Amino acid sequence: MITSLLIANRGEIACRVIRTAQKLGIRTVAVYSDADANALHVRMADEGVHIGPSPARESYLVGEKIIAAAKDTGAEAIHPGYGFLSENADFAQAVIDAGLIWVGPKPASIRAMGLKDAAKKLMAEAGVPVTPGYMGGDQTPERLKAEADAIGYPVLIKAVAGGGGKGMRKVDRAEDFADALDSCRREAASSFGNDVVLLEKWIESPRHIEVQVFGDAHGNVVHLFERDCSLQRRHQKVIEEAPAPGMDEETRAAVCGAAVRAAQAVDYEGAGTIEFIADGSEGLRADRIWFMEMNTRLQVEHPVTEEITGQDLVEWQLRVASGEPLPKRQDELTISGHAIEARLYAEDPSLGFLPSTGRLDHFDLGEEGRIETGVEEGDAISSFYDPMIAKLVAHGDDRDEAIDNLAAMLDGVEVWPVRTNAGFLVNCLLDDDFEDAELDTGFIGRKLDSLVPDNAPDEALWRAAAVVALAAEEQPAIAGFRLNAPSAPAATLSFGADRRRIVLDDADDYAPASGFADEARVVLFEGGQAYAFDRRVRGGGAGTVGNGSLLAPMPGKVTSVDVAAGERVEKGQRLLTLEAMKMEHAMLAPFDGVVAELAVEPGAQVQVEALLARVEAAE
C-alpha cells in the first residue's frame, strides 16, 4: 500500500482524498497557491507546499512544481483529484517518469479518451453505439456550418478537449451557428488551449446517464452501476442521483455492459466514467442510449455511487494504484436504496447565477446527511477557482425519501454574505416533474423562472426580521411583551428600496427566527435563501442592478459588448459578456429602458464592482 500521498488539487476533492488517505494510515501532502495559503485542505494535510501565485495556470496547472513538491517531501504517489491536471496524459507520464506512482489510468488510456472525436471513433470500432454527428478534421467555419446544416438543427457544438460543461453550445437555428461557434471556440481556447470542436445531433428529450467503471492492473474491469445527471444548467451538472430513475434491469445490464466494454477497449485502470446520452421520450431503452465521452478520473458526483454501493472509491483508487486487485468482483456489487447529490455554488440565481465571492462570515450547512466541502466559516470564496462551495448528499430507502432528506438539508443551509443557489436547489427537488422523474437536460432551462426563488421577503420574514432586530437592541425579553401592553415594540428596516416600520402587536409574531443581527443589518435564512434587512434604513444606493447600474460581480475580462450607448433594450437582453472564474457570464438588462452609459469596451479587464453599463428605465 502507498505510504505517502501528494494531492495535486484543492478544495473539497483534496479534503475528500485526505480523509480516506488518513483512514488508511497514509501520510498526506497538500499543495497550495497564494490564495489557498490558509485553506482547509492545507490545514488537514500532514504537510503543505506552496506552488505559486493564485491563478491556476501559475500553480495548480504547473506539473513541474507539483512533481518537485512530491519529491521534496518524500511523497510516494500523486492523486490528481478532478479538474486541473487530472486528465492530462503528459502530466501522468511525467509523474511516472519521475519514479512516482500515478493514482489514475495509464497515460495511453487518457490519450485514447481525451479527445471526444477520437474517443467516439474508438468506441464505434468497439461496438459501442455513438451519437450521430461530425468529427472531421476540417475545422473551417464553412465546413462546420455545412455539416451542421446536414445533421439538422438543433445541433450541439462541443470542444473536443472540453469538460465540466465548458466549450459547449446548443444551436437552434442556422443563422445562430456562426456566433455560437465563435463563443464556443473562445471559451475552449481559454479553458483548454484547444479550440477544435465536434458536432452532435441534439437529442430532443435527452437524459444524461453515466456509468462508474473501475479497472485494475490484473485485467479486471467492473461497473458500479449508473447515475443520472440530467439536471444541468449551461451543461453543468447541478443535481445527480443513483440509480437512474426508470432504469429497468435489462437496460441497466445493456448500458453497464457497454461501459465495461468501453473501458476494456482502452485497457483501463483506476476510476473512470462512461457518459451516455439517452433519448428519454419513451423511457430508458438500450437502443436509444449512445456513448458521449469518457472521463478518465474520479467524478464530482462519485459520492452517490458510494452511498448506494457502500464502497469508498478513493480507497479503491489507492489500492489499485498500489498494485492490488479490485476490492470486489462484479457479482459482489449491489444497489442499496437511492442517493441524490446537490452542488452548492457560490452564485446568485436572482442575478442570472452570477458567481459570488468573499469571506464566509456565517457558514452552517447543518449536521444531517453527507457534506463534502473544502471550506469552513471564516474562509473565503476566491474568484480564481470554481465557485462550488460544497456537495450535499442524501441517502434514502427509495427515491422519495432521498429527495425529502436532501431538501431538508438544503432548507437548513445558512451562508452569508456569499450568496448561494441553495433555494434554487430546493425548488428543483420539490418540483412536481422532478419528483415524478420527468427528467431531461432541458428541465432547468424550461422551468427557470419558477425555480429561481423570489428574492423579496414575504410579510412573515419582515416581521421575523423585526423580532431579531429588537432582540439585538437588548429590548425587554420578547416573551414578556403582551398584546395589550401600553406600547408595542417596533423596528424600522429596509430591504433594497423597500422601507417599513414593523409593529409587533401579536404574541404569535415572536416565534424564533433562524438568523442573526449586527449593527448594520438583520440576516434571516429560510428555504436555503439569505435575506438581508438594513437596520441603518437608507434607500437603495447607486450602483445596484435595481437602479440600472450593472457592476462587475468579480474581476474579469469583457469579451464582447452587444449594445451601444443610447440603444433601447428589453429586460433580460444581453448587454455584454464578462469572462470570469473560467466561464462566460452574460450581463443582462435589468428592465426595459435605454443604455444611458457604457463604461467598457471588448478586451477590457475590470475589477469587482466596476461599472460596466447603466440602463435608464423606459418611460
Side-chain angles (χ1 to χ4, degrees), residues 75-195:
E76 186 180 0
I78 291 180
H79 191 303
Y82 53 71
F84 292 142
L85 295 170
S86 62
E87 295 182 279
N88 186 309
D90 292 340
F91 176 64
Q93 188 63 58
V95 170
I96 296 168
D97 291 345
L100 302 169
I101 296 172
W102 168 249
V103 184
K106 300 173 183 176
S109 300
I110 299 175
R111 288 191 179 94
M113 289 298 199
L115 296 179
K116 294 179 175 61
D117 52 351
K120 289 182 71 174
K121 291 175 182 176
L122 180 62
M123 292 299 99
E125 292 170 0
V128 178
V130 299
T131 314
Y134 172 72
M135 299 176 287
D138 187 345
Q139 290 285 303
T140 61
E142 295 78 15
R143 177 61 183 276
L144 291 170
K145 173 65 164 52
E147 292 291 344
D149 292 344
I151 294 168
Y153 296 90
V155 297
L156 184 65
I157 306 173
K158 296 174 67 173
V160 298
K166 301 177 183 67
M168 300 174 68
R169 298 292 186 277
K170 179 192 175 189
V171 187
D172 292 302
R173 306 181 305 164
E175 52 266 40
D176 298 330
F177 184 84
D179 287 344
L181 176 63
D182 288 345
S183 176
C184 182
R185 280 181 157 167
R186 279 198 309 270
E187 188 170 88
S190 173
S191 298
F192 314 111
N194 185 342
D195 68 353

Side-chain angles (χ1 to χ4, degrees), residues 376-392:
E376 294 179 323
E377 188 166 283
D379 291 343
I381 302 299
S382 167
S383 63
F384 292 103
Y385 312 115
D386 186 274
M388 188 169 71
I389 298 176
K391 301 180 305 195
L392 277 64

Side-chain angles (χ1 to χ4, degrees), residues 206-275:
R207 287 186 53 186
H208 186 123
I209 306 295
E210 60 186 34
V211 178
Q212 178 72 62
V213 293
F214 234 103
D216 62 23
H218 306 280
N220 302 306
V221 178
V222 301
H223 68 80
L224 289 92
F225 310 105
E226 82 285 349
R227 301 183 285 256
D228 190 307
C229 307
S230 297
L231 254 67
Q232 303 177 8
R233 192 185 68 80
R234 293 178 61 179
H235 305 294
Q236 179 70 53
K237 298 166 188 174
V238 175
I239 291 176
E240 305 103 341
E241 57 184 308
M247 179 73 76
D248 61 42
E249 289 302 324
E250 181 180 356
T251 304
R252 174 174 291 123
V255 174
C256 292
V260 169
R261 292 196 301 276
Q264 291 170 332
V266 293
D267 193 22
Y268 200 77
E269 296 178 16
T273 300
I274 310 296
E275 301 200 352

Side-chain angles (χ1 to χ4, degrees), residues 461-470 473 491-496 498-502 520-522 524 533-538:
L461 278 171
W462 277 98
R463 304 187 77 78
V467 171
V468 175
L470 288 167
E473 292 173 6
T492 302
L493 303 167
S494 64
F495 189 94
D498 190 357
R499 174 181 175 176
R500 300 186 189 182
R501 178 175 171 80
I502 308 297
R521 64 183 60 83
V522 173
L524 298 184
F533 297 82
D534 200 333
R535 297 178 65 194
R536 295 166 296 188
V537 190
R538 61 179 185 231

